Amino acid sequence: MTQCITQLTLGFFKSKPVVIDFDAPEISSDGGFVLVRQVDDMLGVSSSVAEAISDSRDPSRVIHDLQEQVRQRVYGIALGYEDCNDADRLRHDPVLKTSCGRLPDDPVGLSSQPTLSRFENSVDWPTLRRLMRWFEWSYVESLPVDTTEVVLDIDSTADETHGGQQLSFFHGHYDHYMYHPLLVFDGETGQLITSRLRPGNTHASRQAAGMLARIIRHIKGRFPDAHVLVRGDSGFCVPKLLRVLEILDERYGDIDYLLGIARNKVLQRLAEPALDVAAEIFEASRRKVRHFTEFEYAAGSWPHKRLVIAKAEVTALGRNPRFVVTSLKGFPPELIYDAYCRRGQCENNIKDLKNALQADRLSCSSYTANFLRLLLHSAAYRLMFELRIRAHEQSESLGRAQFDTLRLRILKVGVLVKRSVRRIHLRLPRAFPLAHVFRAIAAGLDPPPIAA
């Protein structure tokens, strides 16, 4: 039932009163839903996610099929409506209905909050595994046919919890109750490859070896001669992961790693000569000095020595050594360390996922439901990532924008919706400042007409 909001009169315009009514019939504030739908049709994200989910409902009683529900949730996340509670306010939005495959004036509307909550809580572990495998497979299949190098940036992040979520535990390092998702990004493009929800007290490296091994096998299956580089911080420098990557290299070839390693007394002693050189240069110049060295090192749990690159940095605050372990050899140590530092872009990718798309909104009671939520947010990341690529073709600044900026400038636009016998007519404002970008993206995503 439509809520009636009374008329409002404002007096700031001195010559005439400003009258506000809330009765425009078919207007949406989110015209960008149609762009998200076009990107989705091109990538096949929602259809693939829906296919991976088993539907145990009686078909004769189903009003909202799985694909419509996946679209409703993923498109809502992309437009900033990350919570199922938003469904009750949006289920009759004419543009969202159109984008999800319903007519804009369909009186039934889309799924309500309780219906979507039942959908999220219906998944089981086999479904979640199928979805993770689809994310991994679809990424590899999307790589250009001439791919010769792939950089995999692996990282974890803290999703703070507030309530009784299953497998939410206290983590001493982060000092709060949380989930601990594991994420893998393409280190060159920023594309999200896959994500996995883990209990809050999980170590950063848990399940990383298996995830990376699957992705690398997919890559090598399609591109046998491609070079694969795995980057991660010191949380992933554990014997199991190092050994798995070395075994994969023995089997497939051209697989390397570049991982941070926590400092210890032995590493600092081995780096001391380089630190002394850097300190002498600093004393003479009083400017920050970075000096690099390399040496062989074996921790007590390692079966053999590995190459470690040391950054001997000295500033006004004192000595600041940093270390990375790598299988890359024959390169200047500074070049290898700078390649490791470029994984810092991964933090910005996580901000897009967590802040712009609110992927930390994992507030269901069930662990599996929250796992599905993380994957739905990951699906929204895929759509927004492709939309940013399209926006970059029209505006270089939009191609560098965060997802929330992209949403605000392109997707959050009012639209008047009219349905006739022959067509659905969407009318955007003439004053829309980025109308040319919107039109160019929509035209570029429009599929060619089907031949008769």
Side-chain angles (χ1 to χ4, degrees), residues 253-420:
D254 286 328
I255 297 171
D256 288 297
Y257 55 81
L258 189 49
L259 304 172
I261 180 171
R263 72 178 73 177
N264 57 45
K265 291 182 179 179
V266 176
L267 289 173
Q268 294 202 175
R269 175 173 54 79
L270 293 171
E272 198 65 30
L275 283 165
D276 290 341
V277 171
E280 290 178 9
I281 299 173
F282 175 78
E283 289 300 325
S285 65
R286 306 307 298 176
R287 294 181 179 178
K288 182 177 77 171
V289 176
R290 292 199 319 165
H291 188 61
F292 293 88
T293 188
E294 63 182 27
F295 46 80
E296 296 286 327
Y297 166 78
S301 57
W302 292 3
H304 56 82
K305 291 185 177 181
R306 295 181 170 103
L307 180 64
V308 171
I309 305 298
K311 180 191 74 169
E313 182 178 82
V314 178
T315 69
L317 298 177
R319 299 188 175 199
N320 181 35
R322 289 288 187 271
F323 305 93
V324 297
V325 60
T326 183
S327 59
L328 292 168
K329 295 181 179 179
F331 298 95
E334 182 175 3
L335 184 65
I336 294 178
Y337 190 84
D338 287 344
Y340 169 77
C341 290
R342 284 197 287 274
R343 65 164 294 279
Q345 178 60 31
C346 187
E347 299 295 333
N348 292 327
N349 301 332
I350 293 175
K351 288 177 182 177
D352 270 333
L353 180 64
K354 283 183 62 176
N355 298 343
L357 297 180
Q358 301 296 317
D360 57 352
R361 193 65 177 269
L362 307 179
S363 53
C364 292
S365 298
S366 163
Y367 179 73
T368 54
N370 284 321
F371 203 141
L372 176 63
R373 278 197 173 189
L374 178 64
L375 293 173
L376 292 176
H377 284 266
S378 301
Y381 185 104
R382 287 274 181 98
L383 301 184
M384 291 297 290
F385 182 83
E386 180 64 28
L387 187 63
R388 183 164 60 190
I389 291 175
R390 300 288 172 149
H392 181 74
E393 297 171 359
Q394 309 302 322
S395 166
E396 188 173 335
S397 62
L398 287 176
R400 298 191 303 268
Q402 296 180 162
F403 285 169
D404 46 359
T405 300
L406 193 67
R407 175 197 301 141
L408 182 63
R409 299 193 64 187
I410 296 180
L411 304 183
K412 288 292 184 179
V413 53
V415 57
L416 175 66
V417 184
K418 291 291 185 181
R419 178 199 170 196
S420 67

Side-chain angles (χ1 to χ4, degrees), residues 123-130 167 196-197 367-368 371:
V123 298
D124 54 15
W125 279 107
T127 296
L128 295 172
R129 282 194 290 269
R130 286 195 298 272
L167 299 184
R196 183 185 182 106
L197 189 65
Y367 179 73
T368 54
F371 203 141

Side-chain angles (χ1 to χ4, degrees), residues 168-182:
S168 164
F169 294 114
F170 185 83
H171 196 294
H173 175 74
Y174 295 99
D175 198 31
H176 53 65
Y177 285 85
M178 55 176 270
Y179 284 128
H180 201 181
L182 181 64

Side-chain angles (χ1 to χ4, degrees), residues 32-43:
F33 276 128
V34 296
L35 291 184
V36 176
R37 168 61 189 267
Q38 284 185 288
V39 171
D40 187 22
D41 283 350
M42 185 190 75
L43 300 179

